[in-house]
PDB file of all heavy atoms in Angstrom:
ATOM      1  N   LYS N1227      -2.879  18.391  -8.170  1.00  0.00           N
ATOM      2  CA  LYS N1227      -3.450  17.469  -7.226  1.00  0.00           C
ATOM      3  C   LYS N1227      -4.777  17.015  -7.731  1.00  0.00           C
ATOM      4  O   LYS N1227      -5.615  17.849  -8.131  1.00  0.00           O
ATOM      5  CB  LYS N1227      -3.606  18.261  -5.891  1.00  0.00           C
ATOM      6  CG  LYS N1227      -3.786  17.351  -4.594  1.00  0.00           C
ATOM      7  CD  LYS N1227      -3.871  18.158  -3.437  1.00  0.00           C
ATOM      8  CE  LYS N1227      -3.774  17.351  -2.101  1.00  0.00           C
ATOM      9  NZ  LYS N1227      -4.921  16.386  -1.952  1.00  0.00           N
ATOM     10  N   SER N1228      -4.968  15.669  -7.789  1.00  0.00           N
ATOM     11  CA  SER N1228      -6.250  15.274  -8.298  1.00  0.00           C
ATOM     12  C   SER N1228      -6.804  14.013  -7.602  1.00  0.00           C
ATOM     13  O   SER N1228      -7.909  13.691  -7.598  1.00  0.00           O
ATOM     14  CB  SER N1228      -6.234  14.884  -9.769  1.00  0.00           C
ATOM     15  OG  SER N1228      -5.539  13.693  -9.952  1.00  0.00           O
ATOM     16  N   TYR N1229      -5.887  13.427  -6.758  1.00  0.00           N
ATOM     17  CA  TYR N1229      -6.253  12.176  -6.099  1.00  0.00           C
ATOM     18  C   TYR N1229      -6.633  12.381  -4.667  1.00  0.00           C
ATOM     19  O   TYR N1229      -6.083  13.104  -3.950  1.00  0.00           O
ATOM     20  CB  TYR N1229      -5.078  11.217  -6.141  1.00  0.00           C
ATOM     21  CG  TYR N1229      -5.298  10.034  -7.119  1.00  0.00           C
ATOM     22  CD1 TYR N1229      -5.560  10.366  -8.510  1.00  0.00           C
ATOM     23  CD2 TYR N1229      -5.358   8.754  -6.737  1.00  0.00           C
ATOM     24  CE1 TYR N1229      -5.768   9.348  -9.357  1.00  0.00           C
ATOM     25  CE2 TYR N1229      -5.561   7.694  -7.604  1.00  0.00           C
ATOM     26  CZ  TYR N1229      -5.737   7.988  -8.886  1.00  0.00           C
ATOM     27  OH  TYR N1229      -5.965   6.963  -9.791  1.00  0.00           O
ATOM     28  N   GLU N1230      -7.672  11.634  -4.190  1.00  0.00           N
ATOM     29  CA  GLU N1230      -8.024  11.562  -2.849  1.00  0.00           C
ATOM     30  C   GLU N1230      -8.116  10.084  -2.553  1.00  0.00           C
ATOM     31  O   GLU N1230      -8.887   9.291  -3.183  1.00  0.00           O
ATOM     32  CB  GLU N1230      -9.295  12.207  -2.478  1.00  0.00           C
ATOM     33  CG  GLU N1230      -9.029  13.663  -2.044  1.00  0.00           C
ATOM     34  CD  GLU N1230     -10.344  14.519  -1.991  1.00  0.00           C
ATOM     35  OE1 GLU N1230     -11.438  13.883  -1.739  1.00  0.00           O
ATOM     36  OE2 GLU N1230     -10.193  15.694  -2.127  1.00  0.00           O
ATOM     37  N   GLY N1231      -7.289   9.560  -1.621  1.00  0.00           N
ATOM     38  CA  GLY N1231      -7.314   8.122  -1.337  1.00  0.00           C
ATOM     39  C   GLY N1231      -6.760   7.362  -2.521  1.00  0.00           C
ATOM     40  O   GLY N1231      -5.803   7.692  -3.079  1.00  0.00           O
ATOM     41  N   THR N1232      -7.575   6.326  -3.002  1.00  0.00           N
ATOM     42  CA  THR N1232      -7.036   5.518  -4.041  1.00  0.00           C
ATOM     43  C   THR N1232      -7.706   5.699  -5.347  1.00  0.00           C
ATOM     44  O   THR N1232      -7.682   4.956  -6.303  1.00  0.00           O
ATOM     45  CB  THR N1232      -7.142   3.996  -3.627  1.00  0.00           C
ATOM     46  OG1 THR N1232      -8.532   3.683  -3.458  1.00  0.00           O
ATOM     47  CG2 THR N1232      -6.334   3.611  -2.487  1.00  0.00           C
ATOM     48  N   SER N1233      -8.478   6.811  -5.477  1.00  0.00           N
ATOM     49  CA  SER N1233      -9.095   7.082  -6.815  1.00  0.00           C
ATOM     50  C   SER N1233      -9.085   8.581  -7.125  1.00  0.00           C
ATOM     51  O   SER N1233      -9.051   9.442  -6.284  1.00  0.00           O
ATOM     52  CB  SER N1233     -10.597   6.608  -6.794  1.00  0.00           C
ATOM     53  OG  SER N1233     -11.338   7.349  -5.826  1.00  0.00           O
ATOM     54  N   SER N1234      -9.108   8.824  -8.469  1.00  0.00           N
ATOM     55  CA  SER N1234      -8.953  10.142  -9.010  1.00  0.00           C
ATOM     56  C   SER N1234     -10.288  10.895  -8.759  1.00  0.00           C
ATOM     57  O   SER N1234     -11.428  10.397  -8.827  1.00  0.00           O
ATOM     58  CB  SER N1234      -8.747  10.113 -10.468  1.00  0.00           C
ATOM     59  OG  SER N1234      -8.674  11.413 -11.043  1.00  0.00           O
ATOM     60  N   THR N1235     -10.200  12.180  -8.316  1.00  0.00           N
ATOM     61  CA  THR N1235     -11.433  12.969  -8.075  1.00  0.00           C
ATOM     62  C   THR N1235     -11.970  13.502  -9.380  1.00  0.00           C
ATOM     63  O   THR N1235     -13.103  13.995  -9.429  1.00  0.00           O
ATOM     64  CB  THR N1235     -11.082  14.145  -7.164  1.00  0.00           C
ATOM     65  OG1 THR N1235     -10.145  15.025  -7.777  1.00  0.00           O
ATOM     66  CG2 THR N1235     -10.703  13.712  -5.764  1.00  0.00           C
ATOM     67  N   GLY N1236     -11.172  13.489 -10.503  1.00  0.00           N
ATOM     68  CA  GLY N1236     -11.585  13.982 -11.805  1.00  0.00           C
ATOM     69  C   GLY N1236     -11.512  15.502 -11.801  1.00  0.00           C
ATOM     70  O   GLY N1236     -11.862  16.203 -12.762  1.00  0.00           O
ATOM     71  N   ASN N1237     -11.074  16.111 -10.631  1.00  0.00           N
ATOM     72  CA  ASN N1237     -11.052  17.588 -10.554  1.00  0.00           C
ATOM     73  C   ASN N1237      -9.546  17.925 -10.223  1.00  0.00           C
ATOM     74  O   ASN N1237      -9.114  17.751  -9.123  1.00  0.00           O
ATOM     75  CB  ASN N1237     -11.980  17.911  -9.368  1.00  0.00           C
ATOM     76  CG  ASN N1237     -11.948  19.359  -9.053  1.00  0.00           C
ATOM     77  OD1 ASN N1237     -11.462  20.179  -9.830  1.00  0.00           O
ATOM     78  ND2 ASN N1237     -12.367  19.762  -7.835  1.00  0.00           N
ATOM     79  N   VAL N1238      -8.835  18.415 -11.255  1.00  0.00           N
ATOM     80  CA  VAL N1238      -7.457  18.751 -11.051  1.00  0.00           C
ATOM     81  C   VAL N1238      -7.240  20.215 -10.559  1.00  0.00           C
ATOM     82  O   VAL N1238      -7.740  21.123 -11.240  1.00  0.00           O
ATOM     83  CB  VAL N1238      -6.726  18.498 -12.393  1.00  0.00           C
ATOM     84  CG1 VAL N1238      -5.254  18.779 -12.236  1.00  0.00           C
ATOM     85  CG2 VAL N1238      -6.906  17.041 -12.859  1.00  0.00           C
ATOM     86  N   GLN N1239      -6.503  20.304  -9.598  1.00  0.00           N
ATOM     87  CA  GLN N1239      -6.117  21.643  -9.123  1.00  0.00           C
ATOM     88  C   GLN N1239      -4.699  22.017  -9.334  1.00  0.00           C
ATOM     89  O   GLN N1239      -3.839  21.202  -9.073  1.00  0.00           O
ATOM     90  CB  GLN N1239      -6.348  21.818  -7.582  1.00  0.00           C
ATOM     91  CG  GLN N1239      -7.712  21.588  -7.109  1.00  0.00           C
ATOM     92  CD  GLN N1239      -7.714  21.309  -5.603  1.00  0.00           C
ATOM     93  OE1 GLN N1239      -6.903  21.796  -4.905  1.00  0.00           O
ATOM     94  NE2 GLN N1239      -8.691  20.537  -5.131  1.00  0.00           N
ATOM     95  N   GLN N1240      -4.446  23.179  -9.904  1.00  0.00           N
ATOM     96  CA  GLN N1240      -3.040  23.624 -10.026  1.00  0.00           C
ATOM     97  C   GLN N1240      -2.623  24.340  -8.804  1.00  0.00           C
ATOM     98  O   GLN N1240      -3.107  25.449  -8.456  1.00  0.00           O
ATOM     99  CB  GLN N1240      -2.948  24.547 -11.296  1.00  0.00           C
ATOM    100  CG  GLN N1240      -1.490  24.832 -11.694  1.00  0.00           C
ATOM    101  CD  GLN N1240      -1.431  25.737 -12.868  1.00  0.00           C
ATOM    102  OE1 GLN N1240      -2.337  25.658 -13.754  1.00  0.00           O
ATOM    103  NE2 GLN N1240      -0.399  26.496 -13.022  1.00  0.00           N
ATOM    104  N   VAL N1241      -1.734  23.712  -8.029  1.00  0.00           N
ATOM    105  CA  VAL N1241      -1.400  24.224  -6.792  1.00  0.00           C
ATOM    106  C   VAL N1241      -0.226  25.168  -6.866  1.00  0.00           C
ATOM    107  O   VAL N1241      -0.050  26.145  -6.136  1.00  0.00           O
ATOM    108  CB  VAL N1241      -1.088  23.116  -5.753  1.00  0.00           C
ATOM    109  CG1 VAL N1241      -0.790  23.599  -4.354  1.00  0.00           C
ATOM    110  CG2 VAL N1241      -2.234  22.141  -5.751  1.00  0.00           C
ATOM    111  N   MET N1242       0.765  24.834  -7.737  1.00  0.00           N
ATOM    112  CA  MET N1242       1.871  25.666  -7.913  1.00  0.00           C
ATOM    113  C   MET N1242       2.082  25.880  -9.458  1.00  0.00           C
ATOM    114  O   MET N1242       2.234  24.885 -10.216  1.00  0.00           O
ATOM    115  CB  MET N1242       3.129  24.968  -7.342  1.00  0.00           C
ATOM    116  CG  MET N1242       4.353  25.775  -7.362  1.00  0.00           C
ATOM    117  SD  MET N1242       5.715  24.811  -6.594  1.00  0.00           S
ATOM    118  CE  MET N1242       6.532  24.134  -8.074  1.00  0.00           C
ATOM    119  N   GLY N1243       2.037  27.092  -9.987  1.00  0.00           N
ATOM    120  CA  GLY N1243       2.001  27.352 -11.416  1.00  0.00           C
ATOM    121  C   GLY N1243       3.388  27.357 -12.066  1.00  0.00           C
ATOM    122  O   GLY N1243       4.419  27.300 -11.420  1.00  0.00           O
ATOM    123  N   LEU N1244       3.305  27.444 -13.328  1.00  0.00           N
ATOM    124  CA  LEU N1244       4.515  27.475 -14.219  1.00  0.00           C
ATOM    125  C   LEU N1244       4.975  28.990 -14.284  1.00  0.00           C
ATOM    126  O   LEU N1244       4.187  29.833 -14.687  1.00  0.00           O
ATOM    127  CB  LEU N1244       4.208  26.966 -15.614  1.00  0.00           C
ATOM    128  CG  LEU N1244       5.287  26.918 -16.550  1.00  0.00           C
ATOM    129  CD1 LEU N1244       6.344  25.857 -16.196  1.00  0.00           C
ATOM    130  CD2 LEU N1244       4.759  26.495 -17.944  1.00  0.00           C
ATOM    131  N   VAL N1245       6.210  29.252 -14.067  1.00  0.00           N
ATOM    132  CA  VAL N1245       6.748  30.606 -14.081  1.00  0.00           C
ATOM    133  C   VAL N1245       7.577  30.852 -15.387  1.00  0.00           C
ATOM    134  O   VAL N1245       7.649  31.959 -15.884  1.00  0.00           O
ATOM    135  CB  VAL N1245       7.589  30.973 -12.829  1.00  0.00           C
ATOM    136  CG1 VAL N1245       6.723  31.155 -11.635  1.00  0.00           C
ATOM    137  CG2 VAL N1245       8.652  29.945 -12.504  1.00  0.00           C
ATOM    138  N   GLU N1246       8.150  29.766 -15.919  1.00  0.00           N
ATOM    139  CA  GLU N1246       9.041  29.898 -17.122  1.00  0.00           C
ATOM    140  C   GLU N1246       8.268  30.345 -18.370  1.00  0.00           C
ATOM    141  O   GLU N1246       7.115  29.957 -18.535  1.00  0.00           O
ATOM    142  CB  GLU N1246       9.735  28.593 -17.469  1.00  0.00           C
ATOM    143  CG  GLU N1246      11.049  28.372 -16.631  1.00  0.00           C
ATOM    144  CD  GLU N1246      10.691  27.932 -15.257  1.00  0.00           C
ATOM    145  OE1 GLU N1246       9.494  27.719 -14.870  1.00  0.00           O
ATOM    146  OE2 GLU N1246      11.610  27.906 -14.342  1.00  0.00           O
ATOM    147  N   ASP N1247       8.838  31.108 -19.248  1.00  0.00           N
ATOM    148  CA  ASP N1247       8.336  31.439 -20.555  1.00  0.00           C
ATOM    149  C   ASP N1247       8.765  30.220 -21.465  1.00  0.00           C
ATOM    150  O   ASP N1247       9.924  29.949 -21.672  1.00  0.00           O
ATOM    151  CB  ASP N1247       8.946  32.748 -21.068  1.00  0.00           C
ATOM    152  CG  ASP N1247       8.442  33.077 -22.439  1.00  0.00           C
ATOM    153  OD1 ASP N1247       7.456  32.470 -22.872  1.00  0.00           O
ATOM    154  OD2 ASP N1247       8.995  34.030 -23.069  1.00  0.00           O
ATOM    155  N   ILE N1248       7.730  29.544 -21.971  1.00  0.00           N
ATOM    156  CA  ILE N1248       7.996  28.341 -22.807  1.00  0.00           C
ATOM    157  C   ILE N1248       7.778  28.530 -24.265  1.00  0.00           C
ATOM    158  O   ILE N1248       7.922  27.603 -25.091  1.00  0.00           O
ATOM    159  CB  ILE N1248       7.073  27.114 -22.273  1.00  0.00           C
ATOM    160  CG1 ILE N1248       5.616  27.456 -22.482  1.00  0.00           C
ATOM    161  CG2 ILE N1248       7.488  26.755 -20.904  1.00  0.00           C
ATOM    162  CD1 ILE N1248       4.757  26.185 -22.425  1.00  0.00           C
ATOM    163  N   LYS N1249       7.502  29.796 -24.557  1.00  0.00           N
ATOM    164  CA  LYS N1249       7.296  30.098 -26.049  1.00  0.00           C
ATOM    165  C   LYS N1249       8.454  29.663 -26.886  1.00  0.00           C
ATOM    166  O   LYS N1249       9.605  29.946 -26.663  1.00  0.00           O
ATOM    167  CB  LYS N1249       7.027  31.564 -26.309  1.00  0.00           C
ATOM    168  CG  LYS N1249       6.540  31.939 -27.645  1.00  0.00           C
ATOM    169  CD  LYS N1249       6.061  33.337 -27.744  1.00  0.00           C
ATOM    170  CE  LYS N1249       5.572  33.508 -29.169  1.00  0.00           C
ATOM    171  NZ  LYS N1249       4.988  34.829 -29.445  1.00  0.00           N
ATOM    172  N   GLY N1250       8.190  28.788 -27.927  1.00  0.00           N
ATOM    173  CA  GLY N1250       9.218  28.357 -28.887  1.00  0.00           C
ATOM    174  C   GLY N1250      10.116  27.193 -28.327  1.00  0.00           C
ATOM    175  O   GLY N1250      11.010  26.814 -28.984  1.00  0.00           O
ATOM    176  N   ARG N1251       9.841  26.710 -27.149  1.00  0.00           N
ATOM    177  CA  ARG N1251      10.668  25.723 -26.535  1.00  0.00           C
ATOM    178  C   ARG N1251      10.068  24.281 -26.670  1.00  0.00           C
ATOM    179  O   ARG N1251       8.924  24.089 -26.835  1.00  0.00           O
ATOM    180  CB  ARG N1251      10.906  26.012 -25.066  1.00  0.00           C
ATOM    181  CG  ARG N1251      11.666  27.310 -24.851  1.00  0.00           C
ATOM    182  CD  ARG N1251      12.171  27.437 -23.469  1.00  0.00           C
ATOM    183  NE  ARG N1251      13.262  26.458 -23.193  1.00  0.00           N
ATOM    184  CZ  ARG N1251      13.937  26.466 -22.046  1.00  0.00           C
ATOM    185  NH1 ARG N1251      13.566  27.261 -21.122  1.00  0.00           N
ATOM    186  NH2 ARG N1251      14.913  25.533 -21.905  1.00  0.00           N
ATOM    187  N   ASP N1252      10.930  23.259 -26.533  1.00  0.00           N
ATOM    188  CA  ASP N1252      10.544  21.917 -26.502  1.00  0.00           C
ATOM    189  C   ASP N1252      10.408  21.527 -25.064  1.00  0.00           C
ATOM    190  O   ASP N1252      11.277  21.517 -24.301  1.00  0.00           O
ATOM    191  CB  ASP N1252      11.608  20.966 -27.165  1.00  0.00           C
ATOM    192  CG  ASP N1252      11.751  21.332 -28.712  1.00  0.00           C
ATOM    193  OD1 ASP N1252      10.762  21.223 -29.342  1.00  0.00           O
ATOM    194  OD2 ASP N1252      12.921  21.603 -29.108  1.00  0.00           O
ATOM    195  N   VAL N1253       9.027  21.156 -24.718  1.00  0.00           N
ATOM    196  CA  VAL N1253       8.729  20.887 -23.375  1.00  0.00           C
ATOM    197  C   VAL N1253       8.514  19.368 -23.261  1.00  0.00           C
ATOM    198  O   VAL N1253       7.770  18.783 -24.045  1.00  0.00           O
ATOM    199  CB  VAL N1253       7.479  21.622 -22.901  1.00  0.00           C
ATOM    200  CG1 VAL N1253       7.162  21.291 -21.496  1.00  0.00           C
ATOM    201  CG2 VAL N1253       7.725  23.193 -23.095  1.00  0.00           C
ATOM    202  N   ILE N1254       9.153  18.763 -22.307  1.00  0.00           N
ATOM    203  CA  ILE N1254       8.931  17.376 -21.950  1.00  0.00           C
ATOM    204  C   ILE N1254       8.350  17.218 -20.600  1.00  0.00           C
ATOM    205  O   ILE N1254       9.046  17.523 -19.577  1.00  0.00           O
ATOM    206  CB  ILE N1254      10.187  16.519 -22.068  1.00  0.00           C
ATOM    207  CG1 ILE N1254      10.815  16.634 -23.526  1.00  0.00           C
ATOM    208  CG2 ILE N1254       9.999  15.073 -21.767  1.00  0.00           C
ATOM    209  CD1 ILE N1254      12.230  16.326 -23.695  1.00  0.00           C
ATOM    210  N   ILE N1255       7.083  16.910 -20.556  1.00  0.00           N
ATOM    211  CA  ILE N1255       6.356  16.758 -19.285  1.00  0.00           C
ATOM    212  C   ILE N1255       6.890  15.453 -18.648  1.00  0.00           C
ATOM    213  O   ILE N1255       6.885  14.449 -19.347  1.00  0.00           O
ATOM    214  CB  ILE N1255       4.907  16.742 -19.435  1.00  0.00           C
ATOM    215  CG1 ILE N1255       4.308  17.953 -20.135  1.00  0.00           C
ATOM    216  CG2 ILE N1255       4.144  16.542 -18.118  1.00  0.00           C
ATOM    217  CD1 ILE N1255       2.855  17.877 -20.676  1.00  0.00           C
ATOM    218  N   ILE N1256       7.206  15.473 -17.327  1.00  0.00           N
ATOM    219  CA  ILE N1256       7.512  14.214 -16.662  1.00  0.00           C
ATOM    220  C   ILE N1256       6.453  13.947 -15.623  1.00  0.00           C
ATOM    221  O   ILE N1256       6.265  14.704 -14.697  1.00  0.00           O
ATOM    222  CB  ILE N1256       8.910  14.340 -16.000  1.00  0.00           C
ATOM    223  CG1 ILE N1256       9.944  14.879 -16.889  1.00  0.00           C
ATOM    224  CG2 ILE N1256       9.327  12.941 -15.421  1.00  0.00           C
ATOM    225  CD1 ILE N1256      11.359  14.907 -16.310  1.00  0.00           C
ATOM    226  N   GLU N1257       5.779  12.825 -15.806  1.00  0.00           N
ATOM    227  CA  GLU N1257       4.708  12.372 -14.934  1.00  0.00           C
ATOM    228  C   GLU N1257       5.170  11.114 -14.259  1.00  0.00           C
ATOM    229  O   GLU N1257       5.861  10.301 -14.803  1.00  0.00           O
ATOM    230  CB  GLU N1257       3.450  12.175 -15.692  1.00  0.00           C
ATOM    231  CG  GLU N1257       2.438  13.263 -15.699  1.00  0.00           C
ATOM    232  CD  GLU N1257       1.728  13.433 -14.335  1.00  0.00           C
ATOM    233  OE1 GLU N1257       2.208  12.881 -13.306  1.00  0.00           O
ATOM    234  OE2 GLU N1257       0.752  14.191 -14.258  1.00  0.00           O
ATOM    235  N   ASP N1258       4.564  10.819 -13.081  1.00  0.00           N
ATOM    236  CA  ASP N1258       4.734   9.548 -12.466  1.00  0.00           C
ATOM    237  C   ASP N1258       3.890   8.547 -13.174  1.00  0.00           C
ATOM    238  O   ASP N1258       4.263   7.397 -13.455  1.00  0.00           O
ATOM    239  CB  ASP N1258       4.536   9.624 -10.935  1.00  0.00           C
ATOM    240  CG  ASP N1258       3.192  10.244 -10.567  1.00  0.00           C
ATOM    241  OD1 ASP N1258       2.484  10.757 -11.458  1.00  0.00           O
ATOM    242  OD2 ASP N1258       2.899  10.275  -9.368  1.00  0.00           O
ATOM    243  N   ILE N1259       2.580   8.931 -13.297  1.00  0.00           N
ATOM    244  CA  ILE N1259       1.592   7.911 -13.830  1.00  0.00           C
ATOM    245  C   ILE N1259       0.509   8.614 -14.575  1.00  0.00           C
ATOM    246  O   ILE N1259       0.083   9.660 -14.166  1.00  0.00           O
ATOM    247  CB  ILE N1259       1.068   7.051 -12.675  1.00  0.00           C
ATOM    248  CG1 ILE N1259       0.204   5.914 -13.132  1.00  0.00           C
ATOM    249  CG2 ILE N1259       0.423   7.849 -11.618  1.00  0.00           C
ATOM    250  CD1 ILE N1259       0.054   4.761 -12.135  1.00  0.00           C
ATOM    251  N   VAL N1260       0.079   8.065 -15.645  1.00  0.00           N
ATOM    252  CA  VAL N1260      -1.064   8.524 -16.361  1.00  0.00           C
ATOM    253  C   VAL N1260      -2.198   7.460 -16.165  1.00  0.00           C
ATOM    254  O   VAL N1260      -2.004   6.331 -16.561  1.00  0.00           O
ATOM    255  CB  VAL N1260      -0.855   8.701 -17.879  1.00  0.00           C
ATOM    256  CG1 VAL N1260      -2.011   9.117 -18.611  1.00  0.00           C
ATOM    257  CG2 VAL N1260       0.211   9.857 -18.052  1.00  0.00           C
ATOM    258  N   ASP N1261      -3.294   7.942 -15.562  1.00  0.00           N
ATOM    259  CA  ASP N1261      -4.339   7.081 -15.119  1.00  0.00           C
ATOM    260  C   ASP N1261      -5.557   7.358 -16.038  1.00  0.00           C
ATOM    261  O   ASP N1261      -5.734   6.913 -17.148  1.00  0.00           O
ATOM    262  CB  ASP N1261      -4.559   7.243 -13.640  1.00  0.00           C
ATOM    263  CG  ASP N1261      -5.709   6.354 -13.051  1.00  0.00           C
ATOM    264  OD1 ASP N1261      -5.816   5.305 -13.528  1.00  0.00           O
ATOM    265  OD2 ASP N1261      -6.344   6.797 -12.137  1.00  0.00           O
ATOM    266  N   THR N1262      -6.483   8.323 -15.637  1.00  0.00           N
ATOM    267  CA  THR N1262      -7.601   8.717 -16.422  1.00  0.00           C
ATOM    268  C   THR N1262      -7.074   9.642 -17.665  1.00  0.00           C
ATOM    269  O   THR N1262      -7.788   9.760 -18.654  1.00  0.00           O
ATOM    270  CB  THR N1262      -8.639   9.495 -15.623  1.00  0.00           C
ATOM    271  OG1 THR N1262      -8.036  10.712 -15.239  1.00  0.00           O
ATOM    272  CG2 THR N1262      -9.126   8.752 -14.500  1.00  0.00           C
TER     273      THR N1262
END
Side-chain angles (χ1 to χ4, degrees):
K1227 198 176 188 302
S1228 73
Y1229 252 60
E1230 266 167 31
T1232 59
S1233 62
S1234 181
T1235 60
N1237 175 18
V1238 180
Q1239 299 164 27
Q1240 190 177 331
V1241 184
M1242 187 180 96
L1244 180 67
V1245 288
E1246 277 76 9
D1247 181 10
I1248 60 163
K1249 191 167 180 176
R1251 295 195 68 178
D1252 294 306
V1253 179
I1254 299 160
I1255 303 167
I1256 310 182
E1257 262 288 18
D1258 50 354
I1259 187 162
V1260 175
D1261 183 31
T1262 63

